[in-house]
């Protein structure tokens, strides 16, 4: 069978997508889907923001660590470790409410998520033997949107069956364990086959002023991504007359995220990466402002569509552009990933502080929108300095 041949492109892509469902879904976005229920019974908003920040701190450390993994066999080993971490840390949230355990679990889960996304994607890229890997990787990254859909549906189905958020975490862990089993199988390599290890040259002269602009823009996108990616369901639920609709907004995010990477990457090939990055960031700004300006349910669902339809693609767009700017892509991609991670760690902290002080998400959304717009403006002003 094709799917049992782990060197077949379909098997590789399926394994990669399942890895994203485990690492990005169970270990990260399931938290967003279940946040409203957990806020009702167990979590405070400040502690929820802290959990989100430490999760991205773990992810940031994992992403930086992944830069130094050159040998394919080492990548496979740490990918397998990441899959195990994601399953175990998801299970932990189902069986305890200890704040200390949750904090440790979220940090470790972030590291596991980095192994799934960064290292797993690198293995997929290496294993694929296709003429157009860019198109194939667009399919692979659609798994980020699918991970949102899957974990959201799990939460909904458990709720409809009368289960609690703890039950939803348990089901997420079971689904993650099954998906991880195939991901580990599909993204394995022949141990006897030489990998052609290449040691990258760390030439820090690659970090010129243009890269600094890219880092700043990606930092602001990290803020835009994490604020909505953590709080969007609660943002919608907090609006007058929209209580209970936040989950639908999150569903829209996932559905929009599935095809977004493929579509925007094609647009970037035709119209230029910088132009498409600026456009998608501006669309994200509009999405951030909608909950501030209106309580209309359809417009707020559209806000979710704008977020889901941009944030996944922006990861691929920034990373592709950064990698094309120098003969030492490891340095640039590592630098912009660090900037993005700092934004993801910072966002939940100021979001919680402003929201608690103001009694609404308006100040948080306005500040985040202003930062993302500033990042987009910097990219537009300096667009002639980029290669593509």
């Amino acid at each position: 069978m094709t799917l049992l041949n782990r060197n077949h492109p379909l098997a590789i892509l399926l394994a990669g997508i399942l890895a994203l469902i485990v690492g990005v879904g169970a270990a990260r976005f399931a938290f967003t889907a279940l946040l409203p229920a957990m806020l009702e019974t167990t979590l405070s908003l400040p502690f929820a923001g802290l959990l989100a920040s430490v999760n991205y701190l773990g992810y940031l450390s994992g992403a930086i660590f992944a830069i130094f993994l050159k040998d394919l066999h080492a990548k496979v080993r740490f990918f397998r470790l990441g899959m195990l971490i994601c399953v175990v840390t998801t299970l932990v949230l189902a069986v305890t409410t200890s704040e200390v355990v949750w904090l440790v679990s979220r940090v470790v889960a972030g590291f596991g998520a980095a192994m799934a996304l960064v290292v797993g994607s690198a293995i997929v890229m290496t294993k694929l033997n296709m003429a157009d890997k860019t198109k194939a990787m667009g399919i692979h990254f659609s798994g980020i949107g699918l991970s949102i859909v899957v974990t959201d549906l799990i939460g909904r189905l458990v709720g409809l069956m009368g289960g609690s958020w703890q039950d939803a975490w348990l089901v997420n862990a079971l689904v993650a364990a099954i998906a991880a089993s195939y991901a580990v199988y599909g993204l394995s390599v022949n141990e006897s086959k030489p990998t052609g290890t290449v040691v990258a040259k760390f030439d820090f002269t690659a970090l010129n002023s243009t890269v600094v602009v890219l880092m700043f823009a990606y930092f602001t996108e990290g803020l835009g991504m994490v604020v909505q990616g953590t709080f969007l369901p609660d943002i919608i639920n907090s609006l007058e007359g929209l209580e209970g609709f936040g989950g639908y907004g999150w569903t829209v995010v996932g559905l929009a995220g599935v095809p977004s990477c493929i579509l925007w990457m094609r647009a970037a090939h035709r119209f230029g990466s910088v132009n498409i990055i600026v456009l998608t960031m501006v669309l994200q700004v509009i999405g951030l402002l909608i909950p501030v300006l209106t309580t209309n349910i359809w417009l707020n669902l559209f806000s979710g569509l704008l977020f889901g339809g941009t944030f996944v693609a922006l990861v691929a767009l920034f990373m592709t552009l950064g990698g094309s700017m120098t003969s030492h892509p490891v340095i640039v991609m590592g630098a912009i990933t660090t900037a993005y991670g700092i934004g993801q760690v910072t966002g939940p902290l100021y979001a919680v502080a402003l929201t608690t002080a103001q009694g609404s998400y308006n100040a948080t959304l306005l500040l985040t929108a202003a930062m993302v717009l500033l990042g987009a403006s910097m990219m537009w002003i300096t667009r002639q300095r980029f290669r593509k």
Side-chain angles (χ1 to χ4, degrees):
M1 293 177 61
T2 298
L3 295 182
L4 294 181
N5 177 6
R6 57 190 181 191
N7 293 318
H8 192 282
L10 288 179
I12 296 169
L13 287 173
L14 177 59
I17 289 171
L18 290 175
L20 293 177
I21 290 174
V22 176
V24 182
R28 172 60 193 100
F29 284 128
F31 182 86
T32 302
L34 297 174
L35 181 59
M38 292 189 292
L39 287 173
E40 286 182 5
T41 60
T42 305
L43 293 183
S44 66
L45 185 62
F47 187 61
L50 180 60
L51 288 173
S53 285
V54 298
N55 183 252
Y56 280 111
L57 184 62
Y59 175 83
L60 174 59
S61 66
I64 295 173
F65 173 78
I67 296 171
F68 298 94
L69 293 176
K70 303 300 183 297
D71 179 67
L72 181 58
H73 294 315
K75 290 178 182 177
V76 169
R77 288 194 295 272
F78 277 98
F79 169 74
R80 291 173 177 174
L81 176 62
M83 289 289 96
L84 178 62
I85 286 173
C86 291
V87 173
V88 172
T89 54
T90 302
L91 182 61
V92 164
L93 299 186
V95 299
T96 180
T97 56
S98 167
E99 291 190 351
V100 174
V101 174
W102 273 42
L103 279 170
V104 174
S105 174
R106 289 286 82 192
V107 174
V108 178
F111 182 88
M115 296 302 101
L117 177 57
V118 180
V119 179
S121 299
I123 297 171
V124 170
M125 175 68 82
T126 301
K127 288 196 65 176
L128 281 174
N129 185 21
M130 301 173 66
D132 190 354
K133 285 191 178 183
T134 301
K135 183 182 295 184
M137 292 306 291
I139 297 172
H140 167 70
F141 282 116
S142 69
I144 296 177
L146 190 61
S147 74
I148 295 175
V149 175
V150 170
T151 51
D152 177 63
L153 288 177
I154 288 173
R156 288 180 178 279
L157 290 174
V158 171
L160 288 173
M161 296 174 65
S164 64
W165 58 261
Q166 291 101 327
D167 297 323
W169 278 118
L170 179 59
V171 176
N172 270 300
L174 293 175
V175 171
I178 295 170
S181 299
Y182 185 85
V184 167
Y185 169 79
L187 297 185
S188 297
V189 295
N190 186 344
E191 292 294 334
S192 63
K193 184 178 180 179
T195 61
T197 301
V198 176
V199 178
K201 179 182 177 183
F202 282 74
D203 181 2
F204 288 94
T205 60
L207 300 180
N208 54 40
S209 60
T210 305
V211 173
V212 172
V213 171
L214 193 67
M215 289 173 64
F216 177 75
Y218 205 28
F219 162 77
T220 66
E221 169 52 24
L223 298 176
M225 179 272 162
V226 76
V227 167
Q228 288 185 293
T230 301
F231 301 108
L232 189 137
D234 197 52
I235 290 171
I236 295 178
N237 284 339
S238 70
L239 299 176
E240 184 178 353
L242 299 189
E243 300 83 356
F245 283 98
Y248 296 106
W250 190 241
T251 302
V252 171
V253 170
L255 292 174
V258 174
S260 66
C261 189
I262 300 172
L263 297 176
W264 286 119
M265 288 295 282
R266 288 181 177 177
H269 179 73
R270 181 174 180 181
F271 300 106
S273 294
V274 174
N275 293 332
I276 297 303
I277 286 174
V278 171
L279 174 60
T280 49
M281 291 179 76
V282 169
L283 291 175
Q284 198 171 99
V285 168
I286 295 171
L288 282 161
L289 293 177
I290 286 175
V292 178
L293 300 174
T294 179
T295 59
N296 180 279
I297 178 59
W298 297 110
L299 287 176
N300 277 278
L301 290 178
F302 182 63
S303 170
L305 185 147
L306 289 176
F307 173 59
T310 56
F311 88 93
V312 178
L314 278 165
V315 173
L317 288 165
F318 270 100
M319 294 297 279
T320 302
L321 178 60
S324 71
M325 289 174 59
T326 173
S327 58
H328 305 294
V330 171
I331 295 297
V332 176
M333 294 173 77
I336 67 173
T337 298
T338 300
Y340 186 65
I342 292 172
Q344 291 177 315
V345 172
T346 306
L349 299 179
Y350 77 71
V352 166
L354 288 174
T355 302
T356 302
Q358 300 294 322
S360 77
Y361 283 98
N362 285 356
T364 296
L365 293 169
L366 288 170
L367 175 59
T368 306
M371 289 300 296
V372 176
L373 185 59
L374 179 60
S377 299
M378 290 295 292
M379 288 287 290
W380 182 253
I381 292 170
T382 60
R383 64 189 183 278
Q384 299 299 332
R385 296 162 61 179
F386 292 90
R387 293 182 180 178
K388 57 185 294 185

